[in-house]
Amino acid sequence: MKSKKIPSDIAAAIRQSAIDGWDDDAAMVAHTIETETAAYLELEALDFGTAASFRESIIAAVSEISEGWDERLSMAKLEIEAFQELHAARFDGVPAKEISRLKNEAEQSFPDDFTGQRDHVVAGARRFIYVRDLRARIEPIKNLLIDMEGIIGDECYNANIQNYGPGGIWEGEGRSFRYPVKFDKGDESLKRRYVPADIDPEVLMTGRYQFGSNELGIFRALVKVVEMLERDYGLRITDANRKK
């Protein structure tokens, strides 16, 4: 069978790159030329399958990242795989409308990067399921959690605080105070001395007390306490809304 040949300019570039990298090692120069030549030919013959219409854009994208044909080949294969997974994957439990939104968002954020698009959609679908399940679990006891945290937060006391009244008159030392809770919402962190009743469960669960470099996940701990009371003591909380 007649062996395939590559364009002379590509062959010359491969040879020069191998010499530049291994000029004092003839064996490695020969090995690099052989490997890179084989990679170029395999990439040229690569079956892009359902991603065939994006062949040129995929090759252009991987070529911007690497000058080596072996690495380009590996990245192209990963892109083809990502494209196929992105368009064939089923996301059970996630509405089609949400998946469509995530895909459109991914295309805007990661143009010509199917690996990035796939990872964005997968992460978004997992986030949707996490939030949905968390809300179903936390919403019935949210008010209870907020009330319990309020009791705990109000029990902070610092004996070293010096209290002075009008005119600078010293009134003794020590003071009780409401310890602030820190929440994460999107890319920002919020400190609250009052937890609003309409806070989203997924934000509520990030609530923590910060002690220097240490943190205490107060709401996660309270959920564990409630679940322990239900599991080990037979307590059943079917309606945790405050009774009027």
Side-chain angles (χ1 to χ4, degrees):
M1 184 177 69
K2 187 177 181 180
S3 61
K4 296 181 180 179
K5 293 186 178 181
I6 66 174
S8 58
D9 58 331
I10 300 295
I14 289 175
R15 174 174 292 279
Q16 187 59 54
S17 178
I19 292 173
D20 291 342
W22 303 96
D23 61 342
D24 59 346
D25 191 331
M28 283 304 301
V29 169
H31 173 73
T32 301
I33 292 173
E34 181 181 359
T35 300
E36 288 291 279
T37 299
Y40 172 85
L41 293 173
E42 185 177 348
L43 182 58
E44 284 293 294
L46 189 62
D47 181 7
F48 280 66
T50 55
S53 59
F54 294 92
R55 183 181 189 280
E56 296 305 321
S57 62
I58 289 175
I59 291 179
V62 300
S63 297
E64 287 184 6
I65 299 173
S66 175
E67 295 183 355
W69 291 103
D70 191 47
E71 189 171 3
R72 290 178 183 180
L73 174 63
S74 297
M75 289 189 293
K77 288 180 177 179
L78 291 175
E79 282 290 275
I80 295 169
E81 180 182 357
F83 178 92
Q84 293 171 341
E85 290 177 355
L86 180 65
H87 291 81
R90 294 180 57 187
F91 300 92
D92 294 335
V94 183
K97 185 177 180 180
E98 176 64 13
I99 294 300
S100 179
R101 186 192 69 79
L102 287 169
K103 287 183 177 180
N104 290 334
E105 189 176 77
E107 288 178 6
Q108 296 296 321
S109 301
F110 304 96
D112 299 323
D113 179 1
F114 294 114
T115 300
Q117 291 181 29
R118 177 203 57 195
D119 293 347
H120 180 85
V121 173
V122 169
R126 288 176 178 170
R127 173 69 179 172
F128 179 91
I129 292 173
Y130 166 77
V131 170
R132 180 200 64 194
D133 293 348
L134 182 68
R135 289 182 176 182
R137 173 186 171 204
I138 300 301
E139 196 65 52
I141 61 172
K142 186 173 74 170
N143 291 337
L144 173 63
L145 297 174
I146 292 173
D147 287 345
M148 289 195 297
E149 186 283 321
I151 293 171
I152 295 172
D154 281 339
E155 289 299 314
C156 287
Y157 179 82
N158 189 331
N160 295 320
I161 294 177
Q162 304 298 309
N163 300 301
Y164 293 90
I169 299 175
W170 185 66
E171 296 181 345
E173 57 188 18
R175 184 185 302 171
S176 296
F177 62 97
R178 205 297 189 199
Y179 205 86
V181 191
K182 194 172 184 180
F183 297 97
D184 292 333
K185 186 173 184 180
D187 295 329
E188 60 179 340
S189 294
L190 310 171
K191 271 192 175 182
R192 292 284 186 266
R193 293 184 185 276
Y194 166 77
V195 183
D198 63 350
I199 188 171
D200 291 331
E202 61 270 26
V203 177
L204 185 73
M205 286 300 97
T206 68
R208 60 199 183 275
Y209 297 146
Q210 191 157 5
F211 313 105
S213 60
N214 300 314
E215 294 181 344
L216 189 158
I218 181 62
F219 282 99
R220 292 189 180 278
L222 288 172
V223 168
K224 291 180 180 179
V225 170
V226 171
E227 291 177 342
M228 178 270 295
L229 291 173
E230 291 184 325
R231 181 184 64 250
D232 299 340
Y233 291 86
L235 178 65
R236 292 293 176 262
I237 301 176
T238 57
D239 181 6
N241 291 316
R242 179 181 290 173
K243 302 301 184 288
K244 296 182 180 179

